[in-house]
Amino acid sequence: MGKDRSQKRHKLVKEEPTGLPSVKEMERECEINGADMAGIDTVMEKLSSTCLDDKEYGCAALSAYISSKDALNKLLDRNAVRLVTPLLQEKKVSLQLAASSLLRGMSEEGGFEACERMIRQDVFTGLTAVLRERVGIWQSSQMDVKSDGYLHSFVNCIYTVQNLCECSALAVRLSIEDSVPQVLLSVLNVEKYSATVLLAAAQCLYTLSEENQTVSEFLQQTSNSQTLTSLLRNDKVLLYTRVIIAGVQFNTYGFDVLSKESEDIILPLLLSALNIDTYDNLCDIVFNSDPSVSSPPTSTGACEMEQDDIGEEKHSTNLTEGSLRKDLEVLDNQLSAQKLSFEIITNLLAADDTEEWADIDADDDTSCGTADSDCMEDEDMEPLPDNSIATTLVDEGLIYTLRHRLHFTDSALYGKVANTDKLHRSALQSSLQRYDSMLASALLCLNNTLSQVKLDKFGGVQSLQSMLKLLLAALSTPQIVSQEMLVESITSAMRSLMEQLSANSENLSFDEEELNTLQKLIMAPHTATAVNALRCVTAVGVSLSKQSTPNPIVKAIGSLLLEVITTSKQLWLVTESLDSIMDVFAEDINNIYIKELGVISTLQEILPQLKTMVSKKDRTETHFLPVLATVKSNLPRFIKYKLKVL
């Protein structure tokens, strides 16, 4: 369950940096987007002062600048990290907290480039020294660690290490050399350390264990494995922390070699996290944060099904400010646990594609040779992986859970949050965003499940059509359409649904409004979403093309595909469109539309352009090589065949 460190897609949800309640006010006062660069130099002078209070002020003040990329780069240019890192070992608690908060913020805001520069400025020496020193003190004393004033800076240091490791293989290597995995494992003690420390340590260990043989071997040691297993069993540990530990176990052992004992713990844990009705909990909190509103609206789900009968933790209905904060913490923990659970299951259900695609630029003939067959055979749906864990997940109710979690936030919910008093609005908006992020992971899980599970497991064609209508309706909500990742996930799930329905039903169609929605997405700048929307439209065209008489919608879809082919500069989108047009016009009954649209002449003209686009493509873009290879092989044959029969 590894990742490409150059393109990390999903990040674990961390708690906000602690100890600097005035940072947001500072940001507003400084108006970060137009930060006073000269002011940074003035503040940085405080870091070199002999007065500890000046140094603390300098760290707190600089934290207000780091959301500006220009300001952050200037801090790095001035070697701010070399000045701040030694402050981590100062005895003054508030100074150490201010320094650790600044470094953590820099690592979170700066991305890959900033993290690499921080590593070159030797941030790791101070970070790991603090972690080892503090753990040594705690382990050798009988003090109440949960009340130690250094606890917050310790957590900040863990998160900074994690941020650096997410962006840099060098950071991972340095962490191993400095025994960070050993430190993290030592604080996974629910009796001695707070929930905040356990969560931070688990998250960092999760990052370090991804595709790392050294860390995996360390965690497989009997005593270490027992520590992780005991945490999974311990109900005192936060649900999110336990799900992260489940992810660590998957990273360590892989999906097929888990011990039976661990499997019996992990799979029920993931499903129990997913069975929480977080949409209902979110509505309860949002609509009860205003005393004038007595009850939340009825949730609108994807499929009209019976009410969940699963026991879940409920929220209070009369919220004070204190109870609101507590309920949001509970909700955010649930949402984070669900998001990661969906991501683990998505990886579990992913087909193990080990086929190596040859570099089409090097030895292949981009002009494409001819072949004996005149048309392309449909590919069979991939079977469910030969994997007991995947089979168990489906048998234990994964499909039921997926269908019940598809509740989209609507305009009324967004509007209620927008009109909430300023004190509560930011926290509620954060929970809304977290819910939508969880939903995106659920949709990706649905996408993978659809490609692996037989249709009857989902309740047949009618059930899939109901799910499809819900996804289409979600795309009419402006707040959802504005979220690129969520829209990509929706269209990805729609694509799988459409492909399933197209293969199992000839009565597949969209109304005019739905087709217009998809057409807008095809023309959108985000290529992955455009490809998904295009494939949805293609599925309709393929379904209608099999009718006994030509359908005008097939012509309209063909016209749209030709427009994409002739106007788009995105090789991936053009390739998918070429593959789609061959699918839509595969049946000879629609040859009349091929003539009217001039399909063959357009395809003949595009072949040389396609060759040029292939020669200029980014060699790191390998995700669409299979369909490109298919187009290169089949397009000349398609043209040759249609010229013969027209």
Side-chain angles (χ1 to χ4, degrees):
M1 199 173 69
K3 67 188 172 193
D4 178 355
R5 295 189 184 278
S6 65
Q7 289 183 324
K8 181 172 176 63
R9 182 177 183 123
H10 301 295
K11 295 182 70 173
L12 296 175
V13 179
K14 309 181 183 74
E15 292 189 350
E16 295 296 327
T18 55
L20 294 175
S22 62
V23 166
K24 290 185 177 180
E25 287 76 8
M26 288 181 179
E27 289 179 349
R28 286 193 290 270
E29 292 173 4
C30 293
E31 298 182 350
I32 295 303
N33 290 333
D36 178 8
M37 295 301 173
I40 292 179
D41 290 328
T42 302
V43 174
M44 281 195 63
E45 292 177 1
K46 299 288 186 181
L47 299 180
S48 302
S49 171
T50 58
C51 176
L52 296 183
D53 289 341
D54 285 346
K55 293 180 178 181
E56 182 180 343
Y57 170 81
C59 290
L62 289 175
S63 295
Y65 286 95
I66 57 177
S67 61
S68 165
K69 184 176 180 180
D70 290 340
L72 179 55
N73 285 333
K74 183 169 183 178
L75 287 176
L76 293 169
D77 290 340
R78 300 293 191 274
N79 288 317
V81 173
R82 294 190 185 278
L83 295 173
V84 174
T85 301
L87 303 181
L88 295 174
Q89 298 186 14
E90 290 286 352
K91 298 303 180 183
K92 187 179 181 183
V93 174
S94 57
L95 173 56
Q96 189 177 118
L97 180 57
S100 64
S101 296
L102 175 58
L103 292 174
R104 177 181 172 183
M106 292 175 70
S107 66
E108 289 181 349
E109 296 286 348
F112 295 102
E113 182 180 353
C115 286
E116 290 287 354
R117 295 183 67 183
M118 290 178 70
I119 294 169
R120 289 197 297 270
Q121 293 184 26
D122 201 26
V123 70
F124 251 90
T125 300
L127 289 171
T128 56
V130 167
L131 295 179
R132 292 194 306 271
E133 177 186 1
R134 188 50 48 187
V135 168
I137 294 173
W138 288 334
Q139 289 181 338
S140 62
S141 69
Q142 299 299 318
M143 65 180 297
D144 181 9
V145 177
K146 296 180 181 179
S147 62
D148 191 334
Y150 292 104
L151 202 63
H152 293 309
S153 59
F154 181 81
V155 169
N156 282 339
C157 288
I158 291 178
Y159 280 130
T160 304
V161 169
Q162 185 196 356
N163 294 334
L164 297 171
C165 289
E166 285 175 341
C167 297
S168 169
L170 174 59
V172 175
R173 180 172 65 80
L174 292 173
S175 296
I176 295 172
E177 292 176 355
D178 289 345
S179 303
V180 171
Q182 288 85 341
V183 170
L184 297 174
L185 198 66
S186 70
V187 299
L188 290 177
N189 183 333
V190 68
E191 302 299 332
K192 191 176 182 84
Y193 297 98
S194 67
T196 303
V197 173
L198 265 66
L199 178 59
Q203 289 183 335
C204 192
L205 197 59
Y206 177 81
T207 297
L208 287 172
S209 64
E210 291 190 275
E211 294 185 335
N212 193 311
Q213 185 65 28
T214 302
V215 176
S216 294
E217 291 175 355
F218 167 70
L219 295 176
Q220 288 177 30
Q221 295 174 14
T222 302
S223 60
N224 298 337
S225 179
Q226 290 174 347
T227 297
L228 296 177
T229 302
S230 66
L231 286 170
L232 290 172
R233 293 183 180 278
N234 196 331
D235 291 336
K236 295 180 180 179
V237 179
L238 281 175
L239 175 65
Y240 183 31
T241 302
R242 294 166 66 200
V243 172
I244 294 171
I245 296 298
V248 173
Q249 291 284 64
F250 278 125
N251 287 346
T252 302
Y253 294 102
F255 297 116
D256 299 322
V257 294
L258 280 173
S259 67
K260 182 64 177 175
E261 181 184 15
S262 294
E263 179 181 334
D264 289 344
I265 303 170
I266 291 174
L267 298 185
L269 173 65
L270 298 179
L271 290 173
S272 67
L274 298 181
N275 281 330
I276 299 172
D277 192 344
T278 46
Y279 182 85
D280 188 40
N281 293 343
L282 175 63
C283 288
D284 282 347
I285 293 174
V286 170
F287 285 90
N288 284 300
S289 61
D290 183 351
S292 65
V293 181
S294 58
S295 61
T298 302
S299 63
T300 54
C303 314
E304 294 184 4
M305 304 181 67
E306 66 274 14
Q307 182 70 26
D308 274 330
D309 56 1
I310 301 166
E312 298 163 358
E313 183 174 359
K314 294 297 181 181
H315 298 269
S316 57
T317 55
N318 297 314
L319 296 180
T320 63
E321 182 175 346
S323 63
L324 174 62
R325 183 181 295 109
K326 180 179 178 181
D327 281 355
L328 284 175
E329 288 176 357
V330 172
L331 176 62
D332 289 348
N333 178 262
Q334 293 170 344
L335 291 172
S336 300
Q338 287 187 334
K339 177 179 171 61
L340 184 56
S341 296
F342 276 125
E343 291 172 1
I344 292 172
I345 293 174
T346 298
N347 282 286
L348 174 62
L349 292 173
D352 186 20
D353 185 9
T354 56
E355 183 177 0
E356 294 293 335
W357 290 89
D359 187 338
I360 61 173
D361 296 330
D363 302 321
D364 200 9
D365 178 11
T366 39
S367 64
C368 306
T370 59
D372 295 332
S373 60
D374 290 325
C375 59
M376 171 182 157
E377 296 182 359
D378 293 333
E379 295 181 359
D380 295 330
M381 188 179 70
E382 296 175 359
L384 190 69
D386 184 17
N387 185 312
S388 62
I389 301 176
T391 303
T392 301
L393 280 167
V394 174
D395 291 343
E396 293 297 321
L398 174 62
I399 307 301
Y400 178 88
T401 299
L402 279 169
R403 293 169 68 180
H404 279 73
R405 292 290 75 79
L406 290 183
H407 292 283
F408 289 91
T409 49
D410 56 20
S411 297
L413 194 59
Y414 283 106
K416 177 63 177 70
V417 171
N419 292 323
T420 303
D421 62 276
K422 192 174 183 180
L423 180 64
H424 297 151
R425 189 186 309 144
S426 177
L428 291 172
Q429 287 175 335
S430 176
S431 292
L432 263 179
Q433 293 169 359
R434 193 162 293 177
Y435 178 85
D436 286 339
S437 179
M438 179 278 295
L439 198 57
S441 296
L443 289 162
L444 292 175
C445 184
L446 172 63
N447 179 48
N448 272 28
T449 307
L450 283 164
S451 67
Q452 304 297 332
V453 180
K454 293 182 179 179
L455 182 64
D456 58 357
K457 292 284 188 179
F458 280 91
V461 170
Q462 185 175 0
S463 177
L464 293 191
Q465 289 175 334
S466 177
M467 295 172 72
L468 180 62
K469 291 297 182 183
L470 172 79
L471 299 181
L472 280 165
L475 293 174
S476 64
T477 303
Q479 292 87 347
I480 289 179
V481 175
S482 65
Q483 300 182 60
E484 186 176 283
M485 184 178 71
L486 182 56
V487 173
E488 180 184 344
S489 300
I490 292 173
T491 54
S492 179
M494 285 177 56
R495 175 177 176 175
S496 292
L497 281 167
M498 294 295 295
E499 289 171 351
Q500 281 272 21
L501 289 169
S502 179
N504 291 277
S505 173
E506 293 186 3
N507 300 317
L508 186 62
S509 63
F510 288 147
D511 59 35
E512 184 176 353
E513 182 179 351
E514 292 168 339
L515 283 173
N516 287 338
T517 297
L518 290 172
Q519 185 172 355
K520 291 178 182 177
L521 290 174
I522 292 173
M523 301 305 176
H526 187 50
T527 308
T529 296
V531 168
N532 289 333
L534 183 141
R535 282 301 189 178
C536 290
V537 173
T538 298
V540 175
V542 170
S543 177
L544 297 178
S545 71
K546 297 176 182 178
Q547 295 179 347
S548 57
T549 57
N551 190 312
I553 296 180
V554 174
K555 179 180 178 181
I557 291 174
S559 177
L560 174 61
L561 294 174
L562 286 176
E563 180 181 357
V564 175
I565 290 170
T566 54
T567 61
S568 177
K569 303 300 182 183
Q570 298 293 328
L571 177 59
W572 183 14
L573 188 58
V574 171
T575 301
E576 295 280 358
S577 300
L578 289 168
D579 189 51
S580 295
I581 207 163
M582 290 188 285
D583 291 340
V584 170
F585 290 117
E587 302 294 334
D588 287 341
I589 193 173
N590 294 298
N591 285 348
I592 182 175
Y593 297 142
I594 292 181
K595 289 182 179 179
E596 292 178 4
L597 295 172
V599 171
I600 300 303
S601 60
T602 300
L603 295 181
Q604 288 174 322
E605 292 174 3
I606 202 66
L607 275 174
Q609 300 175 33
L610 179 64
K611 182 176 180 179
T612 301
M613 293 178 74
V614 169
S615 66
K616 295 180 178 179
K617 83 175 185 67
D618 186 344
R619 296 176 68 88
T620 63
E621 295 180 344
T622 59
H623 50 280
F624 63 96
L625 289 185
V627 68
L628 181 55
T630 298
V631 167
K632 289 175 56 185
S633 174
N634 290 344
L635 186 57
R637 290 184 288 176
F638 177 83
I639 294 173
K640 179 180 178 181
Y641 172 76
K642 290 300 181 180
L643 285 173
K644 186 188 303 183
V645 299
L646 286 174

